[in-house]
Amino acid sequence: QVQLVESGGGSVQAGGSLRLSCAASGFTTRGYYYMSWFRQAPGKQREGVAGIASNGQRRYADFVDGRFTISRDNAKTTFYLQLNSLKPDDTAMYYCAASYGTILYEIFYPSRYAYWGRGTQVTVSS
C-alpha cells in the first residue's frame, strides 16, 4: 500500500523560506516513476509546481522562476520542495503526487498520478 505523507508547511512572511517533505512508503523507486508537487489555493484549480522523474529530469512551473527546488534523498524514499523567496500568491495547500512509469509533457496533469498525499498548508503573509 502506497502512502505519501507531506510535512514542513507553515506560516511565513513574504521573502521567507520553507522546506516541504514528502515521505513515500510502499512506493518503489527502483524502476520508472515520476513525482510532483502540486498546490491548490481556495477557489482555484490544482496546479503543478515542480516535478522529478526517475532519470533525474526536473521540471518547474513558469511561476516558480528559480525560487523553488525539487529534490530527493539518496534512498529516493523522501522527496523535497525547497521554497525560497515566498510570495503571498504562493499561499496554498501543497500536495505531493507520484506514479509509476514514464512521462514527458504531462507531468503537471493531475489525472496522470495514481498516488496523492493529503497536503501541507503554506501561508505567506505580506
Side-chain angles (χ1 to χ4, degrees):
Q1 183 180 357
V2 175
Q3 278 194 318
L4 304 178
V5 180
E6 303 95 334
S7 61
S11 297
V12 296
Q13 290 193 325
S17 297
L18 286 171
R19 190 191 196 201
L20 308 184
S21 298
C22 174
S25 61
F27 186 76
T28 180
T29 56
R30 279 183 274 181
Y32 294 108
Y33 69 90
Y34 49 95
M35 179 273 171
S36 286
W37 286 92
F38 289 80
R39 71 183 188 184
Q40 188 167 18
K44 294 188 177 182
Q45 286 191 333
R46 191 167 296 192
E47 60 182 353
V49 178
I52 187 168
S54 49
N55 64 2
Q57 284 189 322
R58 293 163 170 80
R59 184 178 169 190
Y60 297 93
D62 290 343
F63 62 77
V64 169
D65 198 21
R67 300 179 298 128
F68 303 167
T69 303
I70 189 170
S71 62
R72 59 192 177 192
D73 67 5
N74 288 336
K76 301 174 187 174
T77 57
T78 303
F79 299 87
Y80 303 97
L81 184 65
Q82 178 68 40
L83 307 172
N84 296 328
S85 302
L86 283 162
K87 306 174 183 179
D89 284 349
D90 295 319
T91 294
M93 185 73 79
Y94 283 70
Y95 300 89
C96 66
S99 205
Y100 294 116
T102 59
I103 200 166
L104 188 57
Y105 300 109
E106 299 177 337
I107 195 167
F108 290 155
Y109 285 42
S111 61
R112 293 298 308 270
Y113 289 82
Y115 309 106
W116 289 85
R118 293 190 175 187
T120 185
Q121 177 68 37
V122 172
T123 303
V124 185
S125 58
S126 57

